[in-house]
Amino acid sequence: MEIEYIRRGGRNCLSMRLACDECVAHEVMMLKNNAPGMLLPASLRLRDDEQIIDYDISGWTDISDYFEKRRMDEGDVKTLIKSIAECALLLDDHLLGRDGLVLIPEYIFTEPGVETKAFVYNPGKRESFEENLKGLLKFVLDHIDYRNREVNEMAYTLFSMAGPDAGIEKMAEYVSGHTAYSEGAVPEDDAGYEEVPAQKKENTKRGLFGLFKSRSRAALKEKLIEGSPRMLIDMVPQPEGKRFTTEELRGAAPEPRFVLSSMDENGGEDFIVSASPFLVGKQQDMVDVVIQAESVSRLHAKLITEGGRLYVQDMNSRNGTFVEGVRINGRQRRELPDGGVVAFADRRYMLKVY
């Protein structure tokens, strides 16, 4: 799968190039004429002997960036699983194979306050849906808040369910709360599923998450895959997005110290890049520094310190991030030199290295 990020028609696009012999003709035509609603808006074009799909990602943030600073809670996990299940059923209705759904964190998109996720589809993709889903659940395990018992248990239960015998529908049923789990109830066959009692079926909502079987929590715990990934969390508190003046922050960060000095005539504040990655935007609880401007996106840009240098990466903001007047596309990194100017939309800052 060959991906690049481009600007096309004034929009940020994720551009997927497919050699014609790899494409499934009816899938390409379905995407062109009748694509499922949970896929990102797409347009198709031809270039030489290649078919190219341009997915419009303007204003969206991929979940690898979205959860870079923030840990996944129970609601985040539920929304992700339900969105995948809903999209999978829509693909079935549109005669699109589930294997084409790209379940890589960098290509699953979200934004603050949006309940469902938006997806990318790759016609002719060969990797199986189940294996991709299991890989995504490993990402979930690495990004949950392990101090939260409920989300911890949910994530490991989902990981144990991954596979052809317990697909995304059963996972959606589990997280939606329709399945009643009992600590003491263990199926006679540990690898099997219990039928939902008839009375409960009558009271269960039919539809996307209401037509599946249940499994006991105890049995699921016993089936957790040995050696599944666990991580130790650095318990040092993260910055809370508070803004500081240059004088307050000098000496607060390790050498070299990168200070972005506001060039705003209305008196914008300076700030130091005190972590890596360092997120810039206006979503108070998700960024390291808040820039309250209508033109700035909620998750706007990422600053990375590496090898004594500062790099800037746009987070698919609507109005763009610019280094020395040149707009950054997609996940491209651009070095910001000492004395260089970076603009988050129309808010400009000059870098001072101490």
Side-chain angles (χ1 to χ4, degrees), residues 280-309:
V280 177
K282 63 183 179 185
Q283 186 75 18
Q284 180 74 41
D285 58 344
M286 296 187 67
V287 298
D288 295 290
V289 66
V290 176
I291 300 178
Q292 290 292 3
E294 187 66 28
S295 59
V296 173
S297 295
R298 286 175 284 192
L299 292 173
H300 195 102
K302 180 192 306 185
L303 305 176
I304 303 116
T305 58
E306 188 175 288
R309 298 179 177 181

Side-chain angles (χ1 to χ4, degrees), residues 92-269:
D92 295 345
D93 291 342
H94 288 71
L95 303 179
L96 294 170
R98 293 186 179 188
D99 290 349
L101 189 63
V102 180
L103 296 179
I104 300 172
E106 288 82 358
Y107 308 129
I108 299 174
F109 292 86
T110 188
E111 58 179 334
V114 174
E115 288 298 322
T116 57
K117 303 291 179 271
F119 298 92
V120 167
Y121 190 87
N122 182 5
K125 185 168 73 68
R126 301 293 187 263
E127 299 87 353
S128 74
F129 175 83
E130 290 78 13
E131 287 301 313
N132 278 270
L133 179 59
K134 193 165 189 176
L136 179 61
L137 289 171
K138 290 180 181 178
F139 169 86
V140 171
L141 286 174
D142 285 341
H143 289 79
I144 59 174
D145 182 358
Y146 275 84
R147 295 166 293 186
N148 184 316
R149 186 181 67 179
E150 288 75 16
V151 72
N152 195 349
E153 181 178 355
M154 175 180 287
Y156 276 96
T157 299
L158 290 168
F159 189 79
S160 75
M161 296 173 73
D165 294 331
I168 187 63
E169 289 88 350
K170 290 186 174 69
M171 294 182 189
E173 173 69 9
Y174 165 60
V175 301
S176 68
H178 290 296
T179 301
Y181 289 90
S182 170
E183 292 291 350
V186 181
E188 294 180 4
D189 178 4
D190 189 36
Y193 289 85
E194 299 174 319
E195 283 287 339
V196 178
Q199 182 62 38
K200 178 173 287 187
K201 285 184 178 179
E202 293 177 1
N203 298 326
T204 300
K205 179 182 178 181
R206 299 182 61 84
L208 180 60
F209 307 123
L211 298 177
F212 310 111
K213 300 176 183 179
S214 68
R215 184 176 188 172
S216 76
R217 182 181 299 172
L220 289 171
K221 283 185 175 180
E222 292 176 7
K223 296 296 289 182
L224 286 175
I225 296 174
E226 184 177 355
S228 56
R230 296 179 183 269
M231 67 176 290
L232 297 176
I233 296 179
D234 182 359
M235 300 303 291
V236 177
Q238 295 293 319
E240 297 180 355
K242 180 180 178 181
R243 299 178 67 187
F244 301 92
T245 65
T246 303
E247 290 71 20
E248 290 176 309
L249 288 167
R250 282 183 179 175
E255 296 289 348
R257 293 178 293 244
F258 300 100
V259 177
L260 288 176
S261 179
S262 175
M263 301 175 70
D264 188 349
E265 296 179 355
N266 296 322
E269 297 181 44

